[in-house]
C-alpha cells in the first residue's frame, strides 16, 4: 500500500508539473506566433491526438493493465507484442491518411514534413506509453517521473528555440522541436523493449488485445472527437486565426480540469470502495461537496479570464476572453460524466458509457457543422457545453439502469450545473469592472474554504463508520 501511495503521489506531481510547463509556455508561444500559426499548430496537434488513438489502438489502456496481471511471467514479450501490433496499425492508418490527403489536399493542409513527423511519432510513442503503464503497474515511479518531467522540459525548450530562430516556419519548427525530442526519447525506449523481448512476438497476445480493445475504440474515439474536433472544424470553416483564438480560450478554460484530474483520481477508489459496501449515501455526500468545490474553482477561473488572457497572449488574441466562460462551463459539465461513469465502471457495464460518448460526439460534429458557419467560434463552445450535458444525462440514465436507484440528489446537481453556466455567462458583463469581479472572487474563495471544511468532515465521518 505504501508503494502504491508513493507511486500515485509521484504520478500526480509529475502530471501537475507537465501541465504547469504547458501553461507557462503559452505566453511565450502566443508572442512568437501569430494567431494563424498558433491555430494551425493547434489543429495539427488535434489531428495527432485523434489519429493517434486509431494508430495505437489504445493498447496502453485497460487491456495492457489486464495483460500485465494475467501474463505476469511474460511481460517483456507482451509489451513488445503490443508495440509491434500498434506499429502495424500505424502503417495501415497512415497509409489511408496519406491516400485521403492526396485525394482531398484541403482536408489536412499540412506540408509533407508534418506527415513524416506524425508518422515517426505514431511509430515510437507507444513504446513510452506501454513502458509508462508498466512502470506504474510495478510501482517503479522514480524513473517514470524523471522521464516525464525531463521530456516535457526539453520538448518545450527546443520548440521555443526553433520557433524563435525560424519564425517564418513557426508551425513546422514548433512541431519539429516538440515532437522531435519526444521521438528520440521514445526510440530509446523502443529499442530497450525490443532487446528485453529478444524481438519475439506472441500473436496470441494480439488476439487477446484486439478482442478486448476493438469494441472500445468507438468510445475512446468519441471522447477525443468531443474534446478536439471542434478546433479542426473551426479551422476548416473560419481559418487558422479563429482556431488559434479558440485554442487559447480552450487552454485557459481547461486549466480547471487539472484540479478535476486530481479530484477524480481520489474519487474513483473511494467510489469503488463504497459501491462494494453499498454505501451510496457516502458517495452522494462526498461527491456533492466535491462538485461544489470544483464549481467554485471553475467560477474563479472565469472571473480572472481577462487577466489570464492578458498575461498569456498579446492583444491579437483578445477576443478569446469572451469564450473562456463557455469553455469553463463545458469543462465543468464534462466532470459530471465521471461521477456517473465511475459507478458504471465499477459494475463493468461499459457499453452504456460507450453509447453516451458516441451519441454526444456525433451530435457535437453535427451541431458544429450546422452552426459554426453561421455564428462563428462561439457556436463551437456552446455545442460542446450542450453535448457534455447530453453525455452526462445518458450516463445518469445508465447509472440508474445499472444500480436501480439514483445515487445522487439530481435536483442539487441540476441547480449546481445550471448555476455554473448562468453565473459564468453573467460574469462576462463584469469583465470591465475589476471591483465587481474582486467581490465575486472573494465569494467564490469563501465558498471553496467552507465546502472544503465540510468535505473534510464528511470524509472523517466516513472513515470512522
Amino acid at each position: 500500500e505504501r508503494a502504491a501511495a508513493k507511486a500515485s503521489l509521484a504520478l500526480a506531481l509529475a502530471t501537475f508539473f507537465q501541465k504547469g510547463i504547458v501553461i507557462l509556455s503559452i505566453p511565450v508561444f502566443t508572442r512568437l506566433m501569430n494567431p494563424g500559426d498558433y491555430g494551425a499548430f493547434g489543429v495539427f496537434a488535434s489531428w495527432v491526438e485523434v489519429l493517434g488513438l486509431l494508430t495505437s489502438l489504445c493498447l496502453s489502456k485497460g487491456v495492457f493493465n489486464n495483460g500485465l496481471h494475467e501474463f505476469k511471467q511474460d511481460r517483456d514479450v507482451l509489451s513488445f507484442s503490443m508495440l509491434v501490433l500498434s506499429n502495424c496499425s500505424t502503417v495501415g492508418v497512415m497509409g489511408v491518411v496519406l491516400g485521403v490527403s492526396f485525394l482531398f489536399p484541403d482536408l489536412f493542409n499540412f506540408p509533407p514534413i508534418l506527415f513524416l513527423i506524425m508518422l515517426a511519432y505514431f511509430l515510437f510513442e507507444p513504446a513510452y506509453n506501454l513502458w509508462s503503464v508498466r512502470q506504474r503497474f510495478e510501482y517503479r515511479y522514480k524513473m517514470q517521473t524523471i522521464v516525464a518531467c525531463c521530456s516535457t522540459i526539453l520538448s518545450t525548450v527546443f520548440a521555443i528555440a526553433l520557433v524563435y530562430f525560424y519564425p517564418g516556419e513557426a508551425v513546422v519548427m514548433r512541431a519539429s522541436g516538440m515532437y522531435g525530442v519526444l521521438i528520440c526519447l521514445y526510440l530509446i525506449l523502443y529499442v530497450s523493449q525490443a532487446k528485453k523481448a529478444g524481438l519475439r512476438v506472441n500473436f496470441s497476445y494480439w488476439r487477446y488485445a484486439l478482442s478486448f480493445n476493438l469494441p472500445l475504440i468507438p468510445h475512446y474515439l468519441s471522447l477525443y472527437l468531443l474534446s478536439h474536433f471542434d478546433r479542426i472544424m473551426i479551422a476548416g470553416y473560419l481559418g487558422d486565426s479563429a482556431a488559434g483564438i479558440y485554442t487559447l480560450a480552450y487552454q485557459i478554460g481547461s486549466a480547471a480540469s487539472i484540479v478535476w484530474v486530481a479530484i477524480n483520481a481520489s474519487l474513483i477508489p473511494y467510489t469503488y470502495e463504497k459501491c462494494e459496501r453499498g454505501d451510496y449515501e457516502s458517495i452522494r455526500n462526498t461527491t456533492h461537496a466535491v462538485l461544489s468545490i470544483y464549481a467554485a474553482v471553475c467560477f474563479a477561473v472565469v472571473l480572472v479570464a481577462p487577466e489570464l488572457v492578458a498575461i498569456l497572449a498579446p492583444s491579437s488574441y483578445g477576443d478569446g476572453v469572451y469564450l473562456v466562460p463557455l469553455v469553463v462551463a463545458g469543462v465543468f459539465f464534462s466532470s459530471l460524466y465521471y461521477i456517473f461513469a465511475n459507478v458504471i465502471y465499477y459494475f463493468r457495464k461499459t457499453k452504456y458509457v460507450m453509447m453516451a460518448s458516441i451519441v454526444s460526439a456525433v451530435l457535437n460534429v453535427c451541431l458544429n457543422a450546422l452552426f459554426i458557419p453561421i455564428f462563428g467560434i462561439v457556436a463551437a463552445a456552446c455545442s460542446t457545453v450542450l453535448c457534455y450535458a447530453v453525455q452526462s444525462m445518458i450516463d445518469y440514465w445508465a447509472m440508474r439502469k445499472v444500480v436501480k436507484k439514483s445515487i445522487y440528489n439530481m435536483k442539487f446537481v441540476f441547480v449546481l450545473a445550471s448555476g455554473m453556466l448562468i453565473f459564468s455567462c453573467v460574469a462576462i458583463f463584469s469583465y470591465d469592472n475589476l471591483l465587481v469581479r474582486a467581490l465575486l472572487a472573494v465569494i467564490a474563495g469563501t465558498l471553496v474554504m467552507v465546502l472544503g471544511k465540510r468535505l473534510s468532515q464528511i470524509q472523517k465521518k466516513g472513515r470512522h463508520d
Side-chain angles (χ1 to χ4, degrees):
E1 293 182 359
R2 186 176 180 182
K6 285 185 176 181
S8 298
L9 178 60
L11 178 62
L13 291 175
T15 301
F16 274 105
F17 180 82
Q18 289 175 290
K19 295 289 186 180
I21 292 295
V22 171
I23 292 174
L24 289 174
S25 70
I26 291 175
V28 179
F29 283 119
T30 53
R31 284 163 175 81
L32 291 176
M33 305 172 71
N34 60 52
D37 287 341
Y38 195 81
F41 179 80
V43 171
F44 173 73
S46 295
W47 274 117
V48 170
E49 292 285 344
V50 173
L51 294 177
L53 184 146
L54 297 176
T55 59
S56 70
L57 296 175
C58 299
L59 295 175
S60 61
K61 296 186 182 293
V63 63
F64 189 56
N65 278 302
N66 286 16
L68 290 172
H69 176 73
E70 188 169 344
F71 310 111
K72 59 183 67 176
Q73 304 301 325
D74 199 27
R75 288 175 178 173
D76 290 333
V77 174
L78 171 69
S79 299
F80 187 64
S81 298
M82 296 297 99
L83 189 51
V84 175
L85 176 58
S86 70
N87 288 164
C88 293
S89 175
T90 294
V91 172
V93 170
M94 288 304 293
V96 173
V97 168
L98 292 175
V100 171
S101 67
F102 179 78
L103 294 174
F104 306 97
D106 293 334
L107 178 61
F108 296 103
N109 198 26
F110 299 151
I113 184 64
L114 290 186
F115 282 109
L116 291 176
I117 291 173
M118 188 184 290
L119 175 61
Y121 183 73
F122 289 157
L123 286 173
F124 300 122
E125 186 210 14
Y128 171 77
N129 291 337
L130 295 167
W131 174 82
S132 180
V133 170
R134 183 172 174 181
Q135 294 291 303
R136 292 198 299 269
F137 191 88
E138 297 173 350
Y139 302 132
R140 294 185 288 177
Y141 57 89
K142 293 182 180 179
M143 183 55 66
Q144 184 207 358
T145 303
I146 293 172
V147 170
C149 294
C150 289
S151 63
T152 302
I153 294 173
L154 290 174
S155 61
T156 303
V157 169
F158 271 83
I160 291 173
L162 288 178
V163 173
Y164 178 79
F165 287 111
Y166 302 97
E169 296 290 338
V171 178
V172 172
M173 290 300 105
R174 185 175 177 184
S176 300
M178 175 181 170
Y179 293 105
V181 168
L182 297 178
I183 290 168
C184 292
L185 170 64
Y186 299 161
L187 177 59
I188 295 172
L189 294 173
Y190 190 107
V191 173
S192 174
Q193 292 181 50
K195 286 184 176 180
K196 288 181 179 179
L199 296 177
R200 287 179 294 141
V201 175
N202 188 331
F203 294 104
S204 65
Y205 295 149
W206 287 20
R207 292 191 294 271
Y208 170 82
L210 292 174
S211 63
F212 186 102
N213 248 38
L214 282 182
L216 292 175
I217 293 296
H219 165 62
Y220 293 134
L221 181 60
S222 297
L223 289 179
Y224 276 86
L225 288 177
L226 188 54
S227 60
H228 290 87
F229 209 67
D230 46 4
R231 277 166 281 183
I232 296 173
M233 297 186 73
I234 288 172
Y237 285 114
L238 306 176
D240 289 335
S241 293
I245 293 172
Y246 185 85
T247 297
L248 176 67
Y250 181 87
Q251 289 175 322
I252 293 174
S254 62
S257 66
I258 300 175
V259 177
W260 180 256
V261 169
I263 290 174
N264 197 49
S266 300
L267 193 60
I268 290 174
Y270 179 85
T271 301
Y272 281 22
E273 177 188 345
K274 297 304 179 182
C275 282
E276 186 177 11
R277 298 180 182 178
D279 185 6
Y280 298 125
E281 183 178 357
S282 293
I283 295 176
R284 179 174 62 252
N285 292 336
T286 299
T287 303
H288 286 179
V290 164
L291 281 178
S292 300
I293 293 172
Y294 187 56
V297 171
C298 289
F299 188 48
V301 173
V302 170
L303 290 176
V304 298
E307 286 70 33
L308 290 175
V309 171
I311 292 171
L312 296 176
S315 58
S316 55
Y317 293 81
D319 291 343
V321 69
Y322 299 105
L323 292 174
V324 173
L326 287 172
V327 173
V328 172
V331 168
F332 178 79
F333 273 76
S334 70
S335 67
L336 299 181
Y337 146 78
Y338 289 99
I339 70 171
F340 306 125
N342 289 344
V343 176
I344 297 171
Y345 277 129
Y346 171 79
F347 290 99
R348 300 182 180 179
K349 301 294 184 180
T350 55
K351 63 180 180 180
Y352 295 118
V353 177
M354 179 176 67
M355 179 180 66
S357 301
I358 293 174
V359 170
S360 57
V362 172
L363 178 62
N364 189 43
V365 172
C366 293
L367 290 176
N368 282 337
L370 184 62
F371 292 113
I372 287 178
I374 302 174
F375 298 105
I377 53 180
V378 69
C382 290
S383 66
T384 300
V385 175
L386 175 62
C387 291
Y388 275 129
V390 169
Q391 183 185 31
S392 299
M393 287 188 289
I394 297 175
D395 281 316
Y396 167 68
W397 166 82
M399 184 195 70
R400 288 207 61 166
K401 185 177 180 64
V402 171
V403 186
K404 309 300 182 185
K405 64 184 300 184
S406 177
I407 294 177
Y408 307 103
N409 183 337
M410 291 309 297
K411 289 183 179 179
F412 170 84
V413 175
F414 177 79
V415 169
L416 186 65
S418 301
M420 176 67 218
L421 179 60
I422 292 171
F423 282 115
S424 293
C425 293
V426 170
I428 295 175
F429 299 100
S430 71
Y431 280 174
D432 294 328
N433 193 321
L434 184 60
L435 182 62
V436 173
R437 284 193 290 123
L439 178 61
L440 292 175
V442 170
I443 295 173
T446 303
L447 184 61
V448 168
M449 289 188 291
V450 171
L451 293 175
K453 185 176 180 180
R454 174 60 178 160
L455 176 59
S456 178
Q457 292 172 346
I458 290 172
Q459 290 179 325
K460 288 181 180 178
K461 182 177 181 298
R463 285 196 292 268
H464 290 319
D465 294 342

